[in-house]
Amino acid sequence: MTDPIHIVLAFDDNFWAPAFTVMRSVCLTTHRRKDLVFHLLHMPVTDEHRHDIEGIVREFGASLRWYPLADSELFDFVVAGLPTGARWPRIVYARLLMADLLPAELTRVLYLDSDMLVRAPIEQLYGMDLGGKPLGAVQDSLQPFIMGRRDMRQNIGIFDTADSYFNSGMMLVDLVQWREINVKAEIAVIAAKGWIERLYYDQDMLNLVFRDRWQKLPWRWNTIDAHLAHEALDPAILHYTRETKPWGLFAGMLRSSAYSRWYRHVMTNELFYRFMRHRWRRWWLKKLRLAR
């Protein structure tokens, strides 16, 4: 009997289809499908979209665990006052609270952003040695710019651009050690210093909390800014951090994102076009509201 592989995602109803795609890509690239347990930290999801996501169980026999955050007092308390935006809804902060929201018996989890595509057996990543650290991640390819911002000196006093800095889209977490760190208290300290508005959302917070306490993992397990040239490098996980996403209307035609045609078929054609219509409706509703 093999141990389960615990994978965490966080999303709201506007990202149900990409979240499904991440999970389906994991399932398609491993023989250990029935060992997979997906822990879903989510804001309210419609019944139709939940049925779509539950297709992972019907097709592969993997397990889903749902964690609704809309009524979570802890989530509301921690997120209150943290900056959000159109590209960064409240749900992005859910990963800060993984240790509090997930069952106490879990000792290791893999967190994945919903704008990813997995191309290699996930157990290869899940079993990696963390070198005694609470967290393993990939160094961000835009490290000095993200840390320093404008002219790479805007955030001097918060970060040193010579330090290591990880991308939080993929994190392999030792929850036993994570729980020994009072993340909520550390965020409160950051807020008390008046830094919150200067930070790059939760990624900066995580880098401050885990400074010098994370293990650098191979880049191919979080191939940031995934574009066409990356197809030649055999990436294990593609991370679509660019504004152009593989689910865009002309993504397959323009091939601006790596494996964009592959991505569409992992999402499935039916869901891909339904998600595209969903996004168009949201775009037009936003335009109409602005026009009033």
Side-chain angles (χ1 to χ4, degrees):
M1 183 176 179
T2 54
D3 293 331
I5 299 171
H6 295 282
I7 301 173
V8 180
L9 287 86
F11 58 94
D12 60 23
D13 201 45
N14 290 316
F15 245 66
W16 96 96
F20 167 83
T21 308
V22 176
M23 289 185 278
R24 191 163 188 259
S25 69
V26 171
C27 293
L28 287 168
T29 51
T30 180
H31 290 291
R32 295 184 57 187
R33 291 154 187 157
K34 294 188 178 180
D35 294 330
L36 299 170
V37 183
F38 293 102
H39 299 265
L40 310 180
L41 312 177
H42 67 93
M43 297 304 282
V45 178
T46 66
D47 290 343
E48 179 187 19
H49 296 165
R50 181 168 177 140
H51 182 266
D52 289 332
I53 292 169
E54 288 172 345
I56 295 297
V57 180
R58 295 188 296 272
E59 184 176 5
F60 300 106
S63 300
L64 303 182
R65 303 285 183 269
W66 297 83
Y67 302 80
L69 300 184
D71 300 320
S72 170
E73 293 182 5
L74 172 64
F75 182 71
D76 284 342
F77 175 77
V78 173
V79 172
L82 297 180
T84 58
R87 289 187 62 198
W88 302 95
R90 295 172 77 234
I91 192 64
V92 301
Y93 295 109
R95 57 189 150 187
L96 295 172
L97 301 174
M98 284 192 292
D100 300 282
L101 298 170
L102 296 173
E105 63 268 19
L106 291 187
T107 58
R108 173 174 284 219
V109 297
L110 172 64
Y111 172 84
L112 296 176
D113 266 356
S114 294
D115 57 348
M116 287 182 152
L117 183 73
V118 177
R119 297 185 57 256
I122 205 67
E123 60 268 25
Q124 295 177 7
L125 170 60
Y126 193 76
M128 284 188 177
D129 181 12
L130 293 181
K133 304 290 179 61
L135 183 147
V138 170
Q139 184 161 297
D140 200 296
S141 57
L142 296 177
Q143 170 194 346
F145 175 71
I146 292 179
M147 297 168 80
R149 302 296 193 277
R150 183 173 300 173
D151 295 336
M152 299 193 189
R153 62 187 179 192
Q154 182 176 327
N155 274 353
I156 296 299
I158 299 178
F159 291 106
D160 187 317
T161 55
D163 289 341
S164 295
Y165 179 98
F166 62 86
N167 181 279
S168 60
M170 182 282 291
M171 295 185 293
L172 184 59
V173 177
D174 180 334
L175 279 176
V176 176
Q177 292 194 66
W178 181 301
R179 291 185 180 112
E180 293 173 356
I181 300 168
N182 192 336
V183 174
K184 300 187 293 297
E186 301 238 10
I187 293 171
V189 170
I190 293 169
K193 292 179 178 179
W195 290 351
I196 293 293
E197 295 300 328
R198 295 169 62 188
L199 298 182
Y200 188 62
Y201 301 99
D202 62 313
Q203 181 166 289
D204 271 1
M205 294 178 195
L206 286 164
N207 271 277
L208 289 170
V209 171
F210 290 96
R211 190 186 320 223
D212 299 324
R213 294 190 282 194
W214 65 280
Q215 176 73 10
K216 185 177 179 181
L217 299 181
W219 68 269
R220 65 187 298 267
W221 290 102
N222 184 359
T223 308
I224 301 159
D225 192 28
H227 53 273
L228 194 58
H230 284 123
E231 292 188 8
L233 301 177
D234 190 29
I237 296 180
L238 297 152
H239 191 179
Y240 299 104
T241 55
R242 311 170 85 193
E243 287 195 22
T244 304
K245 305 293 187 183
W247 55 75
L249 179 60
F250 302 109
M253 189 184 308
L254 298 176
R255 298 195 71 204
S256 55
S257 298
Y259 294 97
S260 55
R261 188 174 181 187
W262 184 341
Y263 186 95
R264 187 185 77 189
H265 289 287
V266 173
M267 185 179 280
T268 74
N269 273 301
E270 187 273 332
L271 188 54
F272 180 87
Y273 290 114
R274 185 146 51 86
F275 182 54
M276 189 170 62
R277 289 193 295 271
H278 170 84
R279 289 174 55 79
W280 270 107
R281 280 196 302 271
R282 288 185 63 225
W283 187 85
W284 277 110
L285 287 171
K286 181 179 179 181
K287 289 292 183 184
L288 289 170
R289 282 194 296 267
L290 291 173
R292 289 176 182 171

